[in-house]
């Protein structure tokens, strides 16, 4: 963490955007730069599926088809993770909230814990680009660094830039059918949250069609202002 960016109060940053917008990619970069904890409900749900927990069993088929997991399950997972000590200094929520019910639950949770939303950043992208973004996506199996067949290959082919692993994985829901369903869910359930956070006075929008580094510079500026 860059010491000059130290934050005074516990604060929460929300990343909104359709599948493939770059939420995970940008959350990782902000984590490195500002020392915030990245909290991805997608990652938490995939871990629950892998562990075979009751929540994971209920979520698995829904996720595979590209639907949204029920608010009850997601809110319980989020609440549990946010109560852990490393989240006390602030978090980046990557993929939560995704429904009005989740947004209200988050407001209650933050009111209880004395945290505030520093900014809700909406990553704006064209639907047409999302299928390509998502279908070319893969990650390092060891450290989770994200890559893309066309837009971000490792510097040495087949070797993770961050940890040197040679194993990579792709998600079962990153196929054209599931992406179409995920985009529909985004427009129906999640896009209305843009107005919700605009009304709260915390909304920022970013052109996420730009290249990864340009998007990340713009986001770092927003975060710095939000915490100033
Ligand atoms: P994406 O790259 O599409 O943004 P995520 O990894 O955030 O993907 O989420 C993968 C899947 O996990 C979603 O399609 C959905 O099924 C489920 N999921 C993740 N976060 C939520 C949430 N906040 N509410 C409901 N379902 C969620
Ligand atoms: P999300 O978490 O919103 O679903 P990701 O961060 O996983 O999205 O990004 C989806 C894919 O697109 C990844 O393969 C990533 O490397 C790539 N990507 C992310 N941002 C950009 C960008 N600005 N330009 C081109 N490709 C990008
Ligand atoms: Zn790695």
């Amino acid at each position: 963490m860059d010491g000059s960016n130290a934050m005074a109060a516990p604060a929460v940053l929300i990343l909104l955007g359709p599948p493939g917008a770059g939420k995970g990619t940008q959350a990782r970069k902000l984590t490195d730069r500002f020392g915030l904890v990245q909290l991805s409900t997608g990652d938490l749900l995939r871990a629950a599926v892998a562990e075979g927990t009751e929540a994971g069993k209920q979520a698995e088929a829904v996720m595979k088809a590209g639907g949204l997991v029920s608010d009850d399950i997601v809110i319980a997972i989020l609440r549990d993770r946010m109560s852990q000590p490393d989240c006390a200094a602030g978090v980046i929520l990557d993929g939560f909230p995704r429904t009005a019910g989740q947004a209200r639950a988050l407001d209650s949770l933050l009111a209880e814990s004395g945290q505030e939303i520093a900014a809700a950043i909406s990553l704006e992208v064209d639907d047409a680009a999302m299928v390509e973004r998502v279908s070319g996506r893969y990650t390092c199996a060891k450290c989770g660094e994200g890559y893309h067949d066309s837009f971000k290959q490792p510097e040495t082919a087949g070797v993770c830039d961050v940890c040197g692993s040679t194993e990579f994985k792709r998600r079962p829901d990153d196929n054209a059918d599931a992406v179409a369903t995920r985009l529909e869910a985004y427009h129906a359930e999640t896009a209305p949250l843009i107005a919700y956070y605009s009304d709260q006075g915390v909304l920022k929008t970013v052109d996420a069609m730009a290249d990864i580094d340009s998007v990340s510079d713009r986001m770092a500026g927003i975060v710095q202002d939000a915490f100033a």
Side-chain angles (χ1 to χ4, degrees):
M1 176 175 171
D2 177 348
S4 64
N5 293 323
M7 287 157 207
V12 170
L13 200 65
I14 294 170
L15 303 190
L16 295 171
K23 301 180 296 297
T25 302
Q26 297 301 334
R28 263 179 104 87
K29 284 179 172 282
L30 291 172
T31 296
D32 293 346
R33 205 153 163 175
F34 295 95
L36 291 163
V37 169
Q38 175 184 4
L39 205 162
S40 155
T41 42
D43 286 348
L44 294 172
L45 287 165
R46 280 184 287 279
V49 170
E51 283 163 26
T53 65
E54 198 45 50
K57 280 181 199 152
Q58 289 183 44
E60 187 169 14
V62 179
M63 291 173 75
K64 199 166 180 201
L68 289 179
V69 175
S70 75
D71 281 358
D72 287 353
I73 291 179
V74 179
I75 291 165
I77 283 185
L78 191 273
R79 182 180 275 276
D80 188 49
R81 180 67 186 90
M82 289 221 12
S83 69
Q84 290 169 23
D86 63 329
C87 291
V91 292
I92 306 173
L93 297 179
D94 155 14
F96 184 96
R98 265 170 150 109
T99 66
Q102 292 177 19
R104 287 192 298 268
L106 178 64
D107 285 345
S108 313
L109 188 65
L110 297 182
E112 280 166 31
S113 64
Q115 289 174 295
E116 283 186 357
I117 298 171
I121 306 180
S122 172
L123 300 179
E124 309 218 310
V125 286
D126 303 338
D127 276 7
M130 291 306 96
V131 176
E132 188 185 15
R133 284 253 184 116
V134 168
S135 52
R137 160 162 66 189
Y138 62 99
T139 52
C140 171
K142 193 169 166 206
C143 76
E145 182 69 3
Y147 294 98
H148 191 280
D149 293 328
S150 311
F151 306 130
K152 189 192 162 194
Q153 288 282 22
E155 277 167 32
T156 306
V159 182
C160 175
D161 296 340
V162 176
C163 77
S165 168
T166 53
E167 276 182 54
F168 296 87
K169 58 183 182 186
R170 290 181 192 259
R171 280 170 41 181
D173 57 340
D174 279 350
N175 60 71
D177 280 352
V179 174
T181 309
R182 284 154 66 195
L183 275 172
E184 276 171 32
Y186 173 77
H187 288 297
E189 302 280 352
T190 311
L193 299 184
I194 294 171
Y196 183 86
Y197 289 116
S198 176
D199 290 348
Q200 288 197 11
V202 293
L203 183 74
K204 304 284 175 193
T205 55
V206 169
D207 172 12
M209 293 303 293
D211 62 77
I212 292 175
D213 288 340
S214 307
V215 176
S216 116
D217 285 345
R218 166 100 172 93
M219 291 184 67
I222 290 173
V223 175
Q224 232 141 11
D225 287 351
F227 291 120

